[in-house]
Amino acid sequence: MTINELQSLKPYLKISALADEIEGINKHTLLSKVRRGTELTIVESDKLEAKLGEVLTHAGFSLARE
């Protein structure tokens, strides 16, 4: 997941709540990165994508890349 992808989800997703669900990600750091456009680390990206996929699957959606 790139910072641009995460920024595009901001109107639809409470990023701080998502970060709270992920161990090892500080929500304040993540929100700062989203606000500034600072790239995510590989670990942050992988954890966010996995959790987002889990949340979407639970809601009946799927996460796919174009």
Side-chain angles (χ1 to χ4, degrees):
M1 172 167 283
T2 67
I3 194 65
N4 291 336
E5 291 169 329
L6 190 56
Q7 286 173 325
S8 70
L9 292 173
K10 189 175 179 185
Y12 312 105
L13 179 70
K14 188 164 184 172
I15 295 171
S16 62
L18 183 65
D20 282 340
E21 297 285 324
I22 304 170
E23 189 171 326
I25 291 188
N26 182 298
K27 75 177 176 182
H28 300 292
T29 302
L30 183 61
L31 291 171
S32 178
K33 285 185 175 190
V34 169
R35 187 176 58 253
R36 294 179 183 165
T38 305
E39 281 302 321
L40 302 169
T41 66
I42 293 171
V43 172
E44 289 169 335
S45 175
D46 290 346
K47 286 183 176 184
L48 282 165
E49 194 165 321
K51 182 50 114 175
L52 188 56
E54 179 184 315
V55 169
L56 288 172
T57 300
H58 183 69
F61 297 94
S62 65
L63 184 63
R65 293 208 174 261
E66 289 186 7

